[in-house]
Amino acid sequence: MTTGTTPVGNEIRRLRFERGEMTQQALADACGVTRQTIIALEAGRYAPSLELAFRIARAFGVGVEDVFHWRGP
């Protein structure tokens, strides 16, 4: 689980490494965003839009809830 300022946690880093150490750039390219967006997501500084959450999940071949989880109050 990542730590940061958003109540939405994610497993992006773990999933990247489970997928043959996929780079942040490769994931960004697959999702149509910048590498900086992936960095911010992994650090927990940014909560994705619903559309981006689905794009990321699809890039990993998993459901949205396998990537993102609520850790807020």
Coordinates of all heavy atoms in Angstrom, one line a residue:
M1 N 0.8 -1.2 0.0 CA 0.0 0.0 0.0 C 0.9 1.2 0.0 O 1.9 1.3 0.7 CB -0.9 0.0 1.2 CG -1.8 1.1 1.3 SD -3.1 0.9 2.6 CE -2.4 1.9 3.9
T2 N 0.5 2.2 -0.8 CA 1.2 3.5 -0.8 C 0.7 4.4 0.2 O -0.3 4.3 0.8 CB 1.1 4.1 -2.2 OG1 -0.3 4.4 -2.5 CG2 1.7 3.3 -3.3
T3 N 1.6 5.4 0.6 CA 1.1 6.4 1.5 C 1.2 7.7 0.8 O 2.0 8.0 -0.1 CB 2.0 6.4 2.8 OG1 3.4 6.7 2.3 CG2 2.0 5.1 3.5
G4 N 0.3 8.6 1.2 CA 0.2 9.9 0.6 C -0.9 10.8 1.1 O -1.3 10.5 2.2
T5 N -1.4 11.7 0.3 CA -2.4 12.6 0.8 C -3.8 12.3 0.4 O -4.7 12.9 0.8 CB -2.0 14.0 0.4 OG1 -1.9 14.1 -1.0 CG2 -0.7 14.5 1.0
T6 N -4.0 11.4 -0.5 CA -5.3 11.1 -1.0 C -5.8 9.8 -0.3 O -5.1 8.9 0.1 CB -5.3 10.8 -2.6 OG1 -6.6 10.4 -3.0 CG2 -4.4 9.7 -3.0
P7 N -7.2 9.8 -0.1 CA -7.7 8.6 0.6 C -7.8 7.4 -0.3 O -8.3 6.3 0.1 CB -9.1 9.1 1.1 CG -9.5 10.1 0.1 CD -8.2 10.8 -0.3
V8 N -7.4 7.5 -1.5 CA -7.4 6.4 -2.5 C -6.1 5.7 -2.5 O -5.1 6.4 -3.0 CB -7.9 6.8 -3.9 CG1 -7.9 5.6 -4.8 CG2 -9.3 7.5 -3.8
G9 N -5.9 4.5 -2.0 CA -4.7 3.8 -2.1 C -4.6 3.0 -3.4 O -5.6 2.8 -4.0
N10 N -3.4 2.5 -3.7 CA -3.3 1.7 -4.9 C -2.2 0.7 -4.8 O -1.3 0.8 -4.0 CB -3.1 2.6 -6.2 CG -1.8 3.3 -6.2 OD1 -0.8 2.7 -6.4 ND2 -1.8 4.6 -5.9
E11 N -2.2 -0.2 -5.7 CA -1.2 -1.3 -5.8 C -0.5 -1.2 -7.2 O 0.0 -2.3 -7.7 CB -1.9 -2.7 -5.7 CG -2.7 -2.9 -4.4 CD -1.8 -2.8 -3.2 OE1 -0.6 -3.3 -3.3 OE2 -2.2 -2.3 -2.2
I12 N -0.3 -0.1 -7.7 CA 0.3 0.1 -9.0 C 1.7 -0.4 -9.1 O 2.1 -1.2 -9.9 CB 0.2 1.6 -9.5 CG1 -1.3 1.9 -9.7 CG2 1.0 1.7 -10.8 CD1 -1.5 3.4 -10.1
R13 N 2.5 0.0 -8.1 CA 3.9 -0.4 -8.1 C 4.0 -1.9 -8.0 O 4.8 -2.5 -8.8 CB 4.6 0.3 -6.9 CG 6.1 0.0 -6.9 CD 6.8 0.8 -5.8 NE 8.2 0.4 -5.7 CZ 9.2 0.8 -6.4 NH1 8.9 1.7 -7.4 NH2 10.4 0.4 -6.2
R14 N 3.3 -2.5 -7.1 CA 3.3 -4.0 -7.0 C 2.9 -4.6 -8.3 O 3.6 -5.6 -8.8 CB 2.4 -4.4 -5.8 CG 2.4 -6.0 -5.7 CD 1.5 -6.4 -4.6 NE 0.1 -6.0 -4.8 CZ -0.7 -6.7 -5.7 NH1 -0.3 -7.7 -6.4 NH2 -2.0 -6.3 -5.8
L15 N 1.8 -4.2 -8.9 CA 1.4 -4.8 -10.1 C 2.4 -4.6 -11.3 O 2.6 -5.5 -12.1 CB 0.0 -4.2 -10.5 CG -1.1 -4.6 -9.6 CD1 -2.4 -3.7 -9.8 CD2 -1.5 -6.1 -9.9
R16 N 3.0 -3.4 -11.3 CA 4.1 -3.3 -12.4 C 5.2 -4.3 -12.2 O 5.6 -4.9 -13.2 CB 4.7 -1.8 -12.3 CG 3.8 -0.7 -12.8 CD 4.6 0.6 -13.0 NE 5.3 1.1 -11.9 CZ 6.7 1.0 -11.7 NH1 7.4 0.5 -12.7 NH2 7.2 1.5 -10.7
F17 N 5.6 -4.5 -11.0 CA 6.7 -5.5 -10.8 C 6.3 -6.9 -11.0 O 7.1 -7.7 -11.5 CB 7.4 -5.2 -9.4 CG 8.3 -4.1 -9.5 CD1 7.9 -2.8 -9.2 CD2 9.6 -4.2 -9.9 CE1 8.7 -1.7 -9.3 CE2 10.5 -3.1 -10.0 CZ 10.0 -1.9 -9.7
E18 N 5.0 -7.2 -10.7 CA 4.5 -8.6 -11.0 C 4.4 -8.8 -12.5 O 4.3 -9.9 -12.9 CB 3.2 -8.8 -10.3 CG 3.3 -8.9 -8.8 CD 2.0 -9.1 -8.1 OE1 0.9 -9.0 -8.8 OE2 2.0 -9.2 -6.9
R19 N 4.3 -7.8 -13.2 CA 4.2 -7.9 -14.7 C 5.5 -7.7 -15.4 O 5.6 -7.0 -16.4 CB 3.2 -6.8 -15.2 CG 1.8 -6.8 -14.6 CD 1.0 -8.1 -14.9 NE -0.3 -8.2 -14.5 CZ -0.8 -8.3 -13.3 NH1 -0.1 -8.3 -12.2 NH2 -2.1 -8.4 -13.1
G20 N 6.5 -8.3 -14.9 CA 7.8 -8.3 -15.5 C 8.5 -6.9 -15.4 O 9.2 -6.5 -16.3
E21 N 8.3 -6.3 -14.2 CA 8.9 -5.0 -14.0 C 8.6 -4.0 -15.1 O 9.5 -3.3 -15.6 CB 10.4 -5.1 -13.8 CG 10.8 -6.0 -12.6 CD 12.2 -6.0 -12.2 OE1 12.9 -5.0 -12.5 OE2 12.6 -7.0 -11.5
M22 N 7.3 -3.9 -15.4 CA 6.8 -2.9 -16.3 C 7.3 -1.5 -15.9 O 7.2 -1.2 -14.7 CB 5.3 -2.9 -16.4 CG 4.6 -1.8 -17.2 SD 2.8 -1.8 -16.9 CE 2.3 -3.1 -18.1
T23 N 7.8 -0.7 -16.8 CA 8.2 0.6 -16.4 C 7.0 1.6 -16.2 O 6.0 1.3 -16.7 CB 9.2 1.2 -17.4 OG1 8.4 1.4 -18.6 CG2 10.4 0.3 -17.7
Q24 N 7.3 2.7 -15.5 CA 6.3 3.7 -15.3 C 5.9 4.3 -16.7 O 4.8 4.5 -17.0 CB 6.8 4.8 -14.4 CG 6.9 4.4 -13.0 CD 7.6 5.4 -12.1 OE1 8.5 6.1 -12.6 NE2 7.3 5.4 -10.8
Q25 N 6.9 4.4 -17.5 CA 6.7 5.0 -18.9 C 5.8 4.0 -19.7 O 4.9 4.5 -20.4 CB 8.0 5.2 -19.6 CG 7.8 6.0 -20.9 CD 7.2 7.4 -20.7 OE1 7.7 8.2 -20.0 NE2 6.0 7.6 -21.4
A26 N 6.1 2.7 -19.6 CA 5.2 1.8 -20.4 C 3.8 1.8 -19.9 O 2.9 1.8 -20.7 CB 5.8 0.4 -20.2
L27 N 3.6 1.9 -18.6 CA 2.2 2.0 -18.1 C 1.6 3.3 -18.5 O 0.4 3.3 -19.0 CB 2.2 1.9 -16.6 CG 0.8 2.0 -15.9 CD1 -0.1 0.9 -16.5 CD2 0.9 1.9 -14.4
A28 N 2.3 4.4 -18.5 CA 1.8 5.7 -18.9 C 1.4 5.6 -20.3 O 0.3 6.1 -20.7 CB 2.9 6.8 -18.6
D29 N 2.2 5.1 -21.2 CA 1.9 5.0 -22.6 C 0.7 4.1 -22.8 O -0.2 4.5 -23.7 CB 3.1 4.4 -23.4 CG 4.3 5.3 -23.4 OD1 4.2 6.5 -23.1 OD2 5.4 4.7 -23.8
A30 N 0.5 3.0 -22.1 CA -0.6 2.2 -22.3 C -1.9 2.9 -21.8 O -3.0 2.5 -22.3 CB -0.4 0.9 -21.5
C31 N -1.8 3.8 -20.9 CA -3.0 4.5 -20.4 C -3.2 5.9 -21.0 O -4.2 6.5 -20.7 CB -2.9 4.6 -18.9 SG -2.8 3.0 -18.1
G32 N -2.3 6.4 -21.8 CA -2.5 7.7 -22.4 C -2.2 8.8 -21.5 O -2.9 9.9 -21.6
V33 N -1.3 8.7 -20.5 CA -1.0 9.7 -19.6 C 0.5 9.9 -19.5 O 1.3 9.2 -20.2 CB -1.5 9.4 -18.1 CG1 -3.0 9.4 -18.1 CG2 -0.9 8.2 -17.6
T34 N 1.0 10.9 -18.8 CA 2.4 11.1 -18.7 C 3.0 10.2 -17.6 O 2.3 9.7 -16.7 CB 2.8 12.5 -18.3 OG1 2.3 12.8 -17.0 CG2 2.2 13.5 -19.3
R35 N 4.3 10.0 -17.6 CA 5.0 9.3 -16.6 C 4.9 10.0 -15.2 O 4.7 9.3 -14.2 CB 6.5 9.1 -16.9 CG 7.3 8.3 -15.9 CD 8.7 8.1 -16.5 NE 9.6 7.9 -15.3 CZ 10.3 8.9 -14.8 NH1 10.3 10.1 -15.2 NH2 11.1 8.6 -13.7
Q36 N 4.8 11.3 -15.2 CA 4.6 12.1 -14.0 C 3.3 11.7 -13.3 O 3.2 11.7 -12.1 CB 4.8 13.6 -14.3 CG 6.2 14.0 -14.6 CD 6.7 13.6 -16.0 OE1 5.9 13.3 -16.9 NE2 8.0 13.6 -16.1
T37 N 2.3 11.4 -14.1 CA 1.0 11.1 -13.6 C 1.1 9.7 -12.8 O 0.6 9.6 -11.7 CB -0.1 10.9 -14.7 OG1 -0.3 12.2 -15.3 CG2 -1.4 10.4 -14.1
I38 N 1.8 8.8 -13.4 CA 2.0 7.5 -12.8 C 2.8 7.6 -11.5 O 2.5 7.0 -10.5 CB 2.7 6.5 -13.7 CG1 1.9 6.3 -15.0 CG2 3.0 5.1 -13.0 CD1 0.4 5.8 -14.8
I39 N 3.8 8.5 -11.5 CA 4.6 8.7 -10.3 C 3.7 9.3 -9.2 O 3.8 8.9 -8.1 CB 5.8 9.7 -10.7 CG1 6.8 9.0 -11.6 CG2 6.4 10.3 -9.4 CD1 7.8 10.0 -12.2
A40 N 2.9 10.3 -9.5 CA 2.0 10.9 -8.5 C 1.0 9.9 -8.0 O 0.7 9.9 -6.8 CB 1.3 12.1 -9.1
L41 N 0.5 9.0 -8.9 CA -0.4 8.0 -8.4 C 0.2 7.0 -7.4 O -0.3 6.7 -6.4 CB -1.0 7.2 -9.6 CG -2.0 7.9 -10.5 CD1 -2.2 7.2 -11.8 CD2 -3.4 7.9 -9.7
E42 N 1.4 6.5 -7.8 CA 2.1 5.6 -7.0 C 2.5 6.2 -5.6 O 2.5 5.5 -4.6 CB 3.4 5.1 -7.6 CG 3.2 4.1 -8.8 CD 4.4 3.5 -9.3 OE1 5.5 3.8 -8.8 OE2 4.3 2.7 -10.3
A43 N 2.8 7.5 -5.6 CA 3.1 8.2 -4.4 C 1.9 8.5 -3.5 O 2.0 9.0 -2.4 CB 3.9 9.4 -4.7
G44 N 0.7 8.3 -4.1 CA -0.5 8.6 -3.3 C -0.8 10.1 -3.3 O -1.6 10.6 -2.5
R45 N -0.2 10.9 -4.2 CA -0.5 12.3 -4.2 C -1.6 12.7 -5.2 O -1.9 13.9 -5.3 CB 0.8 13.1 -4.7 CG 2.0 13.0 -3.7 CD 3.1 13.9 -4.1 NE 3.5 13.8 -5.5 CZ 4.5 13.0 -5.9 NH1 5.2 12.2 -5.1 NH2 4.8 13.0 -7.2
Y46 N -2.1 11.7 -5.9 CA -3.1 12.0 -6.9 C -4.1 10.8 -7.0 O -3.7 9.7 -7.0 CB -2.4 12.2 -8.3 CG -3.3 12.3 -9.5 CD1 -4.1 13.4 -9.6 CD2 -3.4 11.3 -10.4 CE1 -5.0 13.5 -10.7 CE2 -4.2 11.4 -11.5 CZ -5.0 12.5 -11.7 OH -5.8 12.6 -12.8
A47 N -5.4 11.1 -6.9 CA -6.4 10.1 -7.1 C -6.9 10.2 -8.6 O -7.2 11.3 -9.1 CB -7.6 10.4 -6.2
P48 N -6.9 9.1 -9.3 CA -7.3 9.1 -10.7 C -8.7 9.3 -10.9 O -9.6 9.1 -10.1 CB -6.9 7.7 -11.1 CG -7.2 6.8 -9.9 CD -6.8 7.7 -8.8
S49 N -9.0 9.8 -12.1 CA -10.4 9.9 -12.6 C -10.9 8.4 -12.7 O -10.1 7.5 -12.8 CB -10.5 10.6 -13.9 OG -9.9 9.8 -14.9
L50 N -12.2 8.3 -12.8 CA -12.8 6.9 -13.0 C -12.3 6.3 -14.3 O -11.9 5.2 -14.4 CB -14.3 7.0 -12.9 CG -15.0 5.7 -13.0 CD1 -14.6 4.8 -11.8 CD2 -16.5 5.9 -12.9
E51 N -12.3 7.2 -15.3 CA -11.8 6.7 -16.6 C -10.3 6.2 -16.5 O -10.0 5.1 -17.0 CB -11.9 7.8 -17.7 CG -11.4 7.4 -19.0 CD -11.4 8.5 -20.1 OE1 -12.0 9.6 -19.8 OE2 -10.8 8.3 -21.1
L52 N -9.5 7.0 -15.9 CA -8.1 6.5 -15.8 C -7.9 5.3 -14.9 O -7.1 4.4 -15.2 CB -7.2 7.7 -15.2 CG -5.7 7.4 -15.0 CD1 -5.1 6.8 -16.3 CD2 -5.0 8.6 -14.5
A53 N -8.7 5.2 -13.9 CA -8.7 4.0 -13.0 C -9.0 2.7 -13.9 O -8.3 1.7 -13.8 CB -9.7 4.1 -11.9
F54 N -10.0 2.8 -14.7 CA -10.3 1.7 -15.6 C -9.2 1.4 -16.6 O -8.9 0.3 -16.9 CB -11.7 2.0 -16.3 CG -12.9 1.6 -15.5 CD1 -13.6 2.5 -14.9 CD2 -13.2 0.2 -15.4 CE1 -14.7 2.2 -14.1 CE2 -14.3 -0.1 -14.6 CZ -15.1 0.8 -14.0
R55 N -8.6 2.5 -17.2 CA -7.5 2.3 -18.1 C -6.3 1.6 -17.5 O -5.7 0.7 -18.1 CB -7.1 3.6 -18.7 CG -8.0 4.2 -19.7 CD -7.5 5.6 -20.2 NE -8.4 6.2 -21.0 CZ -8.1 7.0 -22.0 NH1 -6.8 7.3 -22.2 NH2 -9.0 7.5 -22.8
I56 N -6.0 2.0 -16.2 CA -4.9 1.3 -15.5 C -5.2 -0.1 -15.2 O -4.4 -1.0 -15.5 CB -4.6 2.1 -14.2 CG1 -4.0 3.5 -14.6 CG2 -3.6 1.3 -13.4 CD1 -3.8 4.4 -13.4
A57 N -6.4 -0.4 -14.8 CA -6.8 -1.8 -14.5 C -6.8 -2.6 -15.7 O -6.3 -3.7 -15.7 CB -8.2 -1.8 -13.9
R58 N -7.3 -2.1 -16.8 CA -7.2 -2.8 -18.1 C -5.8 -3.1 -18.5 O -5.5 -4.2 -19.1 CB -8.0 -2.0 -19.2 CG -8.0 -2.7 -20.5 CD -8.9 -2.1 -21.5 NE -10.3 -2.5 -21.1 CZ -11.4 -2.0 -21.7 NH1 -11.3 -1.2 -22.7 NH2 -12.5 -2.4 -21.3
A59 N -4.9 -2.1 -18.3 CA -3.5 -2.3 -18.7 C -2.9 -3.5 -18.0 O -2.0 -4.2 -18.5 CB -2.7 -1.1 -18.5
F60 N -3.4 -3.7 -16.7 CA -2.9 -4.9 -15.9 C -3.7 -6.1 -16.1 O -3.3 -7.2 -15.6 CB -2.9 -4.5 -14.4 CG -1.8 -3.5 -14.1 CD1 -2.1 -2.4 -13.4 CD2 -0.5 -3.7 -14.4 CE1 -1.2 -1.4 -13.0 CE2 0.5 -2.8 -14.0 CZ 0.2 -1.7 -13.3
G61 N -4.8 -6.0 -16.8 CA -5.7 -7.2 -17.0 C -6.4 -7.6 -15.7 O -6.7 -8.8 -15.5
V62 N -6.7 -6.6 -14.8 CA -7.4 -6.9 -13.6 C -8.6 -5.9 -13.4 O -8.8 -5.0 -14.2 CB -6.5 -6.8 -12.4 CG1 -5.3 -7.8 -12.5 CG2 -5.9 -5.4 -12.2
G63 N -9.4 -6.1 -12.4 CA -10.5 -5.2 -12.0 C -9.9 -4.0 -11.3 O -8.9 -4.0 -10.7
V64 N -10.8 -3.0 -11.3 CA -10.4 -1.7 -10.7 C -10.1 -1.9 -9.2 O -9.2 -1.3 -8.7 CB -11.5 -0.6 -10.9 CG1 -11.2 0.6 -10.1 CG2 -11.6 -0.3 -12.3
E65 N -10.9 -2.7 -8.5 CA -10.7 -3.0 -7.1 C -9.4 -3.8 -6.8 O -9.0 -3.8 -5.6 CB -11.9 -3.6 -6.5 CG -13.1 -2.7 -6.4 CD -14.3 -3.3 -5.7 OE1 -14.3 -4.5 -5.5 OE2 -15.2 -2.5 -5.4
D66 N -8.8 -4.4 -7.8 CA -7.5 -5.0 -7.6 C -6.4 -4.0 -7.7 O -5.3 -4.3 -7.2 CB -7.3 -6.1 -8.7 CG -8.3 -7.2 -8.6 OD1 -8.6 -7.7 -7.5 OD2 -8.8 -7.7 -9.6
V67 N -6.7 -2.8 -8.2 CA -5.6 -1.8 -8.3 C -5.8 -0.7 -7.2 O -4.9 -0.3 -6.6 CB -5.7 -1.1 -9.7 CG1 -4.5 -0.1 -9.8 CG2 -5.5 -2.1 -10.8
F68 N -7.1 -0.3 -7.0 CA -7.4 0.8 -6.1 C -8.2 0.4 -4.9 O -9.0 -0.5 -5.1 CB -8.1 1.9 -6.9 CG -7.2 2.5 -8.0 CD1 -7.4 2.1 -9.3 CD2 -6.3 3.5 -7.7 CE1 -6.6 2.6 -10.3 CE2 -5.5 4.0 -8.8 CZ -5.7 3.5 -10.1
H69 N -8.0 1.0 -3.8 CA -8.8 0.8 -2.6 C -9.0 2.0 -1.8 O -8.2 2.9 -1.9 CB -8.2 -0.3 -1.7 CG -6.7 -0.1 -1.4 ND1 -5.7 -0.4 -2.2 CD2 -6.2 0.6 -0.4 CE1 -4.5 0.0 -1.7 NE2 -4.8 0.6 -0.6
W70 N -10.1 2.1 -1.1 CA -10.4 3.2 -0.2 C -9.8 3.1 1.1 O -9.9 2.0 1.7 CB -11.9 3.4 -0.1 CG -12.4 4.5 0.7 CD1 -12.8 4.5 2.0 CD2 -12.4 5.9 0.3 NE1 -13.1 5.8 2.4 CE2 -12.9 6.7 1.4 CE3 -12.0 6.5 -0.9 CZ2 -13.0 8.0 1.3 CZ3 -12.2 7.9 -1.0 CH2 -12.7 8.7 0.1
R71 N -9.0 4.1 1.5 CA -8.4 4.0 2.9 C -8.7 5.2 3.7 O -8.1 5.4 4.7 CB -6.9 3.9 2.7 CG -6.2 5.0 2.0 CD -4.7 4.9 2.0 NE -4.2 6.1 1.4 CZ -3.1 6.1 0.8 NH1 -2.3 5.1 0.7 NH2 -2.6 7.2 0.2
G72 N -9.7 5.9 3.3 CA -10.2 7.1 4.0 C -11.1 6.8 5.2 O -11.3 5.6 5.5
P73 N -11.6 7.8 5.8 CA -12.4 7.7 7.0 C -13.8 7.0 6.6 O -14.2 7.0 5.6 CB -12.6 9.1 7.4 CG -12.2 10.0 6.3 CD -11.3 9.2 5.4

